[in-house]
Amino acid sequence: MIKRLFFIAAAWAIGLPSLAAGAADQPAPGPSGLRIVARIDGPDGGWDYASFDPARRRVYIAHADQVMAIDADDGEVMRSFAPGDHLHAVVPVPGGRMVVTTNSGDKTARIIDAASGAVLTSVTTADDPDGATFDPFSGLVVVVDGDAGEATLVDPKTMSSQGAIAIGDRLEFPAADGRGRLYVNVESKNEVAAIDISSRKVVARYPMSGCERPTGLAYVAGDRLISVCGNGLAKILDAASGREIASLKIGGFPDAVLYDPVRAMAYVPSALSGTLAVIALKGPADNTIIDTVPTQLGARTGAVDPKTGRIWLPTAQYQPPATPGQRPTPKPGTFQVLVLDRR
């Protein structure tokens, strides 16, 4: 999560357009074939991460004090699927029975019934529960407590905390390799921390030269990590050693990496440029941007459906702050989820 929306303030300062045109006004598709094909309206309010639930075929968006859910097949929108308190992430638990949300307002991870949206229980975390991921190796949901510099381990089966891992410094998003290794972006140190889940210890730290404020992170095929930086870089690292494989120029202030294992692609939405970088990952040496798709200013997180390749990006139009230097606010009635497809 980018806690201060100074990227929007900077955009207004340099006069970037909002790129708010309708789908029909979008340029012709580039090499990826992706373009905006629909815009789904949602309620006012801020937002953070989005996720995709393959079992229930839903897109979840952490949207202020409510989880917004979209049926990926028929487009049905549940504007207030489940309650929250300053939501940041929605993690579907494999099997489709539960999702886990992170709530910095009351410092909890809430376990939600995926059928009804009812809160089953709340698990206490440390300060600033933010990014989160499901770890297939342990069966736990890892919740990154950004300001506390640790990760809370939540067991969805017992609906309880299984302790925490001390990492240190100010943290952002986690990614798991499914074999017992966890990776976390350390925003304040411009590095990735590698963690052994079983021993609950940091086993390595990977500094990233030229990277400032790493945010989104993904583990991808070929034992690689993609970490994106607030200053407009995507770093591709060897997960075992931390060796830099590639450094790619993307738009300013990205906040997520969307990985599509079926098409061997990664997508990085960048808020300041209003673009989506499309990164090809077919082979170990194939780490290149093949397309830059126009989206909309402010679109920085999202979700991808591996079955269809469709992408969802939440965003809104912004109005300049009344006083220079203050945080700008979204224009009422402009929150939308952009839908990108290849048709």
Side-chain angles (χ1 to χ4, degrees), residues 68-252:
M68 181 178 172
I70 303 170
D71 188 294
D73 296 320
D74 65 18
E76 180 185 0
V77 178
M78 290 170 274
R79 295 164 67 95
S80 185
F81 169 70
D85 189 348
H86 201 166
L87 283 153
H88 293 288
V90 185
V91 179
V93 177
R97 292 181 54 247
M98 293 179 287
V99 297
V100 177
T101 66
T102 62
N103 303 263
S104 64
D106 62 1
K107 301 178 185 179
T108 65
R110 298 185 185 184
I111 299 178
I112 308 293
D113 183 280
S116 66
V119 179
L120 301 176
T121 192
S122 292
V123 178
T124 300
T125 68
D127 287 347
D128 189 30
D130 189 3
T133 191
F134 179 79
D135 172 42
F137 178 80
S138 63
L140 303 174
V141 174
V142 180
V143 176
V144 171
D145 306 316
D147 290 346
E150 66 180 46
T152 299
L153 303 177
V154 177
D155 187 345
K157 292 182 180 178
T158 62
M159 299 191 186
S160 63
S161 171
Q162 298 299 304
I165 300 172
I167 303 169
D169 302 295
R170 192 169 65 249
L171 308 176
E172 269 287 337
F173 204 79
D177 68 359
R179 304 191 305 273
R181 189 62 62 90
L182 176 74
Y183 303 91
V184 179
N185 268 338
V186 184
E187 183 187 23
S188 55
K189 290 291 185 69
N190 303 326
E191 67 182 20
V192 174
I195 299 154
D196 180 79
I197 289 283
S198 296
S199 66
R200 301 187 182 185
K201 292 181 179 178
V202 176
V203 295
R205 293 182 182 271
Y206 303 154
M208 293 182 289
S209 176
C211 177
E212 297 178 10
R213 302 176 308 279
T215 53
L217 183 68
Y219 177 85
V220 303
D223 199 30
R224 290 170 287 181
L225 297 168
I226 302 179
S227 178
V228 293
C229 313
N231 60 327
L233 292 175
K235 295 286 185 175
I236 302 181
L237 310 177
D238 176 79
S241 66
R243 175 181 61 88
E244 183 176 297
I245 297 171
S247 181
L248 307 176
K249 182 63 178 176
I250 57 175

